[in-house]
Amino acid sequence: MAITVSAYTVYWYDKSVTPTAGYGMAGRIVDAGISVSTAPGMKKVGLNGDPKVEGFIDAKSNLRVAVTDRVAGQQQPVFIHNAADGSQVSQQAWPEENLYTLVKLGDFLYAIDYDNAKVIEIDATTYAATGVSYTLENKFIPSGYQACGQALIVIDDRLYGLFAFPDGSWSAYAPSLLVRFTIVPKASIMVTDTQAETGYNRNIAPNAFSFAVNGSNLYIAAIGGRQTTAGYNADSRLQKIAYGATKLANETVYDVLTPNATDLPYDIRDISFKGSTAYVLVGTYQLGPTPSDPWPMTGKLVATTDFIIGNFTVIDDFRAGVLGYYWSAQYTPDNNRLWYTRGNEIRIYNATSLALFATLTVKGSLIASGDQYTDINDLTYVGPAGTAKLSGYRSPLQRSNTPFAQAARAIAQGRPELTEEEFQQLQAQIGR
């Protein structure tokens, strides 16, 4: 059995101060094969209400965790920690505002910024930004929409990126964009667009946010548009595309899984693979007893080899509703685990038997006695074999730093979305 490390963040809001007075902390989880526990070190306190962690392996094969948070319109310091003992080894200023996804390619790291739709290059030895970056070009952004950087993945030594396009108030979405980058380290990051080669495909379902590779295909999860306050989005999709074609623009995008009112009344929330077995998380938020109450997520975590709904193996059925705003389900080969973030608890399964191996909860495991943190905000797997961002869908209200998002968060006060009435009132208030 391997000894592996993951990192997580938790937060709470002191509404007696202001609705947005948030406080966050980052910590470590050690999986020793026969047991899983939180670990001393890297109890990174003093973060705000949106603390984030990104695991990576540096150029010297050291396991590292990048810890940061976000403040609207500002670049925040990025703290680099040793995943093995939690100690801080560096502090950096990366040219990004809202960090999402950090992956390694060769001797460099690449990160994506959500609000600025920017990819930045980082030296994997010094942890300093190289000055090379790529901001999604206007020719790829549909008129009337804005670009959001959703995720990165490395496949066969190539970097792929995923971008979504909401309008100014996230009430409508254009189709999402998949890109394959051409990179010259320390020189340039580009998306090839010539007659001989096209490194992009514009036909991905709206509000796509996560992907996973299996065989020659890239599988992409999409909400389909705006996350609704009750009920599923009929346009939510799990899609696949053959990623290796020279002309990526010409490749057909296939629908693999779609919701329906009878058998799968949920949005697609996450996708990962162990060989031919796919793990799919589906779910939809429901209104609480009143709009101001926490909203439960209802849905299922399933395993499948054919994506036929009647053949699903149900790992967890939470149709009764579970509280919490962070959901993910990702397989990691080390120790053969399925990491399942179920709102405010982390469940770890044996991926062969699907038996529950360990459960870590905010109040019971992830925070110290007397701490006031209430919710999980982020989870990343560090190693030893590689990194995976263990994250499902988060709404733009939770992710973005734009003025509309700040105003929406002040109204929602911790809920994942606005009610339809609140949404319309905010649109009218700021002239969207």
Side-chain angles (χ1 to χ4, degrees), residues 311-330:
N311 295 343
F312 286 172
T313 298
V314 178
I315 303 170
D316 182 35
D317 187 332
F318 50 98
R319 283 177 291 178
V322 174
L323 295 179
Y325 307 137
Y326 190 85
W327 294 81
S328 66
Q330 290 287 315

Side-chain angles (χ1 to χ4, degrees), residues 41-325:
M42 211 189 79
K43 291 292 184 181
K44 190 74 176 181
V45 299
L47 303 171
N48 67 19
D50 191 15
K52 296 176 182 171
V53 281
E54 295 284 346
F56 66 95
I57 299 176
D58 71 11
K60 297 181 180 179
S61 299
N62 297 309
L63 303 184
R64 297 291 186 249
V65 180
V67 184
T68 189
D69 51 21
R70 66 176 181 183
V71 173
Q74 296 182 20
Q75 292 181 7
Q76 289 290 91
V78 179
F79 305 98
I80 309 299
H81 285 254
N82 183 343
D85 63 14
S87 62
Q88 183 176 319
V89 297
S90 181
Q91 178 177 329
Q92 297 292 328
W94 293 349
E96 52 77 31
E97 179 182 320
N98 196 351
L99 180 65
Y100 267 81
T101 311
L102 181 65
V103 297
K104 185 171 182 283
L105 178 58
D107 289 333
F108 295 87
L109 305 169
Y110 295 90
I112 196 167
D113 183 289
Y114 176 80
D115 280 311
N116 296 324
K118 176 189 292 186
V119 176
I120 63 172
E121 183 182 74
I122 299 152
D123 191 306
T125 300
T126 66
Y127 316 129
T130 66
V132 175
S133 67
Y134 170 86
T135 300
L136 191 67
E137 299 158 77
N138 286 335
K139 67 180 181 180
F140 291 124
I141 304 174
S143 177
Y145 294 86
Q146 59 189 350
C148 295
Q150 296 280 55
L152 298 174
I153 192 172
V154 174
I155 312 171
D156 296 338
D157 294 324
R158 296 294 299 271
L159 181 67
Y160 293 75
L162 189 62
F163 296 86
F165 302 105
D167 67 3
S169 61
W170 305 307
S171 58
Y173 283 77
S176 302
L177 175 74
L178 171 69
V179 303
R180 181 177 58 220
F181 294 105
T182 298
I183 296 174
V184 179
K186 299 185 74 173
S188 65
I189 304 171
M190 301 173 55
V191 177
T192 305
D193 184 11
T194 66
Q195 286 189 339
E197 179 181 351
T198 53
Y200 63 88
N201 190 291
R202 299 176 183 269
N203 301 315
I204 311 301
N207 203 2
F209 62 93
S210 180
F211 40 26
V213 66
N214 191 52
S216 59
N217 291 311
L218 187 61
Y219 288 76
I220 303 172
I223 295 296
R226 181 186 164 210
Q227 176 177 260
T228 61
T229 56
Y232 68 95
N233 190 322
D235 294 323
S236 184
R237 294 287 185 271
L238 177 63
Q239 299 178 310
K240 71 176 182 179
I241 180 174
Y243 60 81
T246 301
K247 291 191 174 183
L248 195 59
N250 294 345
E251 283 299 299
T252 301
V253 179
Y254 296 94
D255 289 345
V256 175
L257 190 62
T258 61
N260 65 75
T262 303
D263 302 312
L264 200 71
Y266 307 112
D267 299 332
I268 310 299
R269 297 262 160 190
D270 211 355
I271 174 68
S272 64
F273 286 91
K274 176 190 176 183
S276 61
T277 298
Y279 303 103
V280 184
L281 178 63
V282 298
T284 303
Y285 283 114
Q286 303 294 324
L287 288 172
T290 67
S292 62
D293 287 323
W295 296 5
M297 174 78 82
T298 63
K300 296 179 180 181
L301 173 62
V302 303
T304 179
T305 57
D306 56 17
F307 296 103
I308 298 174
I309 295 174
N311 295 343
F312 286 172
T313 298
V314 178
I315 303 170
D316 182 35
D317 187 332
F318 50 98
R319 283 177 291 178
V322 174
L323 295 179
Y325 307 137

